[in-house]
Amino acid sequence: MSAHVLLVDDDDDLRELLTLSLELAGFTVHAVPNGREAIAAIPDVPSPRVMVLDLLMPVMNGWETVAALEARGLAGTIPIVISTSAPNEAPRGYPVVAKPTPLDRLIDAIRAHAG
Amino acid sequence: MRDRFILGYFAVALIVFGGVAIAAYQQFRQFDAESEAIHRAERVVGALDRLMASLREAESGQRGYLLTGDRQLLEPYRRAEAELVERLDHVERTIPPTEAQRRRARVLRERLEDRFATIRRGIDAHAAAGTVPDAEAFRIEQAQTLAIRGVVLEMVNDETRRLDGEIERAELTAWRTSTLLVVGNGIAFALLCTGTLLLGRELNRRRYREDKRRLDRERERLLLQSAALESRLEAVLDEMPIGVLLLDAPSGAITFQNQALRDLVGRRIGNGDDALGLLRPDGTPFPPEEHPLARARAHDEVVRGVEAQVMRPEGTRKSVVLHVGPFRDQAGATVGIVATLDDFDDRKRAEEQQRVNERFRSLFLRAVGHDLRNPLSVMTAGARTLALRATDDATAKVAARMTSSSERMARMIDQLLALAETHLGGAMALEREPMNLGEIVERAIERLEVAFPNREIRVTMSGDLRGSYDSSRLEHLVLELLANAIEHGRADTPVEVDVRGDDGEVRIDVRNRGDGIPTETMPYLFDPFRRAAARTRLKSSGFGIGLFLALQIARRHGGDLEVRSTATEGVVFRAHVPRGAS
C-alpha cells in the first residue's frame, strides 16, 4: 500500500516537481505551502503517511510547525522528514534530507518512516 | 697650566738629582785626594822608619865588630850601607813637595852620609890599627845620631801634622758628601714623589672628566631616545578612541591624559582621585575605599570593567566602563597607574551594531543557502525523475548530465557558504551529535553515485565508527575528497574508500589511481583558490577551495587531512577524525 505524503514547501516549483516525482514513485502527495495549512490538512491525509517539511517558510515555518504539533500532541500521529537547505538548524530527533533534494534519498526516507 | 706645573716638578727633581750627583762626584774626588795625602804621609813615616832601622843596623854592626873584631858582625852594616842611598831616594820621592820637608830631606841625606862616613872610618881604623874610638869620638857619633833623629822627628812630626789635617778634612768631606747625598736625594725624591702623585691625580682627573663627558653624552642620547619614545607613545595614546589616564603611583599626580579622555569628560583633568568626578552608575559618589583609582593606588589592585558615570561641565553625565591597573618598572615596583575609560553608550551602540551585523550575515547566509538550494533542488529532483523515467539514451544522457552538474553546483554552494562563514570573521560552527561515521560516508557516496553513475566507488569499513560529529560538515568533507578523486582519477579505475575506526579516531582514506600530484603542486594543495592561481586544469569543477574546506572541517573536528601520492599506490587523501565527546 503506497504511503501518503504531506509535502510542505513554500517553493512553488519545487513543490510541484516533488509532487510529480513522488507520485511517479508511487506515493499519493498532498502539497501545501506552509505549516499552518499543513496542520490543517493532517486529518485529510490517510495512513500510512509522512510529512515532508521544509523549515524556512512564510506564515508558519518548519520549526513552528514542529513545535505546534508537539504542543498539541500530534507529533506522534504523523512521522516527519525534514527537508531543508539548513540541515544544521533542523529540530533534533527527526530525519533530515538536505537540499538540494536527493530524490532517491528522499524516497528512501519516506518509505522508511511512513507509518 | 697644570701640565707645566707637573713638568716643572719633574724638571726640578732632575736638576736636583744632577746637582747632587755633580757635587757628590766632586766630594768623592776631594775625598780621594785627601785619602791619597793620608796614604802618602803614612808612606813617608814608614820610609823614615826604615831609614832609621838601617842606621841602627849599621851602628850595631860597627859596635859588634869593634868589640869583638869579628868581621862577620859587619854584615848588617854593609847591608844598611848598600840600602842607604835607595832608602834616602825613596824618602825624597815620597815626601810632599813642600820646601821645609825637602830641606829637611837634604839635611838628613847629608847627616846620614856623614854618619855612615864616621862609622866607616871607625871600622877602617880598627881594621888597620885595632883601635877603638875614644870617648870623644863616641860622643861625636852619638851627637851625629841624635841630629839625624832630630831631623827625622821633625819630618815625622810634619807628616803627622799633615796626616791629622788630612784626616780631619777627609772626615769633613765624608760628612758633607753623605749629608749632600741624603738631603739632596731626599729633596729630589720628595719632588719626584710629589710630581708622580700630581701626575697620577691629573691623569685620574682627566679620565674622570672623559668618563663624565662620555656618560653625559650617553645620558643625553638616552634622554632624547626616551623623549622620542614618550612622544610616540603619547601620540599613539592620543589617537586611541578610548580615554587613557596615567597617574604617578605614590603621589597620584596625573602624568598624561589623552584627547579621547578630555572629549569624554569635556575638560582637562586636574590632580586627585576625585578629579575625574566619577560616580557610581546610580549617580551616587564612590565611597573612598571603593573608588577604583584609590583601590589601584592603595592596594595595587587591578580593577576591570567597572561601570561608572562621569560629570561633564555642562552638568550632563556620561556612562563609562573603567579599567584601572598598576604598571611596574623592571624591578616589579609599581610606578604608576593606568586607567582607561570607554564610552559605555558608544560601546553599547557598537555591540548592538555588531549584533545586527552578525544577524544580518547569518540571515544573508541562510537566505543565500535557502534561495539557491531550492531552485537547485528542482533541478536535482527533476533531473533524477527524468533519468528514472527515461526511455531513450539521449534523454538518459541529458538527465545524467543535469544530475552531475546539479551535484557540482550543490557542492559549489556548500563551498561558498562554508567559505563565507569562515572568512566573514566567524569560526566554522559545529553541530555535533552522536552518530556513525559510516552512514555519513555512505550518504556522500550515494550522492556522488547518482551524479556520476558511470564511476565505480568501492568502499570498505571496519572498526567502531561511532562518535560525535557534525554530520553535514563531515559529509561535505567526504564529498570533496570523493569529487576530487573522481575528477583526477582515471575513468576506468575505481575510487577506493576505506573507513577504519581505531581507539580515539576514525580514519577515512580516499584513493584514486591517476597521474599523481605533481611535486611542485604539493605545498599548495590545500591553499584556497590554488586552481585559479595555478591556471591549471580549468575544466575542473569548483573554485579550488574544496580541499581547503575539507582540511578546515577535519581540523575543526580536532583532526587533520594529509595526502600521499606515489606511482604504486596512487593518490591517497587520509582524513583523521577524532571521535569527539559522545
Side-chain angles (χ1 to χ4, degrees), chain B residues 121-354:
Chain B
R121 274 195 304 277
I123 291 167
D124 288 347
H126 185 73
T131 58
V132 291
D134 55 14
E136 178 60 24
F138 189 70
R139 197 188 50 79
I140 289 167
E141 280 182 20
Q142 268 189 328
Q144 278 179 326
T145 300
L146 277 174
I148 287 166
R149 280 193 179 146
V151 173
V152 167
L153 198 64
E154 276 178 29
M155 288 179 84
V156 167
N157 282 342
D158 192 314
E159 288 305 318
T160 304
R161 274 197 306 279
R162 199 189 317 282
L163 191 64
D164 287 345
E166 291 296 339
I167 284 171
E168 205 171 313
R169 272 196 295 279
E171 278 174 357
L172 197 64
T173 305
W175 184 85
R176 265 205 312 267
T177 307
S178 52
T179 307
L180 180 74
L181 280 173
V182 169
V183 173
N185 282 346
I187 291 169
F189 186 69
L191 284 170
L192 212 58
C193 284
T194 313
T196 307
L197 274 175
L198 285 174
L199 185 65
R201 252 177 58 183
E202 180 60 19
L203 288 177
N204 271 341
R205 187 178 292 132
R206 280 187 193 180
R207 198 176 305 138
Y208 169 76
R209 259 193 253 129
E210 183 59 33
D211 284 354
K212 190 169 178 307
R213 265 203 296 277
R214 199 161 44 75
L215 284 174
D216 282 350
R217 278 200 300 273
E218 183 67 11
R219 186 167 159 271
E220 205 171 317
R221 196 178 63 78
L222 285 174
L223 279 175
L224 281 173
Q225 222 172 43
S226 157
L229 205 70
E230 200 168 327
S231 73
R232 259 203 308 244
L233 181 66
E234 286 186 359
V236 169
L237 290 177
D238 245 346
E239 288 303 316
M240 283 177 71
I242 58 169
V244 179
L245 183 67
L246 302 182
L247 298 98
D248 194 45
S251 70
I254 289 174
T255 53
F256 176 78
Q257 50 186 290
N258 72 349
Q259 187 57 44
L261 181 76
R262 291 193 288 271
D263 293 346
L264 199 63
V265 300
R267 65 181 192 282
R268 172 171 279 278
I269 316 273
N271 283 330
D273 289 343
D274 287 335
L276 262 177
L278 271 189
L279 299 171
R280 291 198 290 198
D282 59 5
T284 57
F286 277 100
E289 68 279 6
E290 284 183 25
H291 196 288
L293 291 182
R295 279 162 64 191
R297 236 159 26 89
H299 310 296
D300 231 19
E301 202 177 329
V302 176
V303 185
R304 291 209 170 279
V306 173
E307 286 185 29
Q309 292 189 335
V310 286
M311 289 288 290
R312 290 174 60 87
E314 69 269 18
T316 57
R317 290 176 183 175
K318 201 150 187 84
S319 296
V320 294
V321 178
L322 190 69
H323 302 281
V324 186
F327 59 91
R328 304 167 202 283
D329 63 9
Q330 284 186 324
T334 301
V335 292
I337 305 291
V338 58
T340 63
L341 282 83
D342 201 356
D343 187 329
F344 193 44
D345 301 333
D346 274 1
R347 207 170 84 167
K348 274 199 289 200
R349 270 196 295 278
E351 282 173 3
E352 187 55 36
Q353 187 61 44
Q354 197 177 352

Side-chain angles (χ1 to χ4, degrees), chain B residues 441 458 476-489 495-500 505-518 521-527 530-531 537 544-552 554 560-566 569-577:
Chain B
V441 174
R458 283 184 197 161
H476 187 178
L477 183 153
V478 179
L479 270 178
E480 293 294 356
L481 296 186
L482 286 173
N484 184 71
I486 288 171
E487 200 172 306
H488 295 110
V495 170
E496 296 160 41
V497 182
D498 181 44
V499 187
R500 184 167 301 177
E505 66 168 26
V506 177
R507 213 184 57 200
I508 308 166
D509 283 358
V510 177
R511 180 194 309 269
N512 75 69
R513 311 277 175 181
D515 295 338
I517 302 169
T521 312
M522 279 295 220
Y524 311 107
L525 204 59
F526 296 101
D527 289 354
R530 71 194 151 77
R531 187 169 290 135
R537 309 190 75 152
I545 57 174
L547 291 175
F548 165 73
L549 288 173
L551 177 66
Q552 303 305 312
D560 207 354
L561 180 61
E562 59 195 28
V563 62
R564 263 196 336 269
S565 175
T566 59
E569 289 186 57
V571 178
V572 183
F573 280 89
R574 171 169 292 181
H576 299 271
V577 184

Side-chain angles (χ1 to χ4, degrees), chain B residues 57-74:
Chain B
E57 280 182 7
E59 283 176 344
S60 66
Q62 180 215 33
R63 273 188 213 112
Y65 173 65
L66 292 181
L67 289 175
T68 61
D70 185 355
R71 290 192 74 89
Q72 278 186 351
L73 294 176
L74 283 175

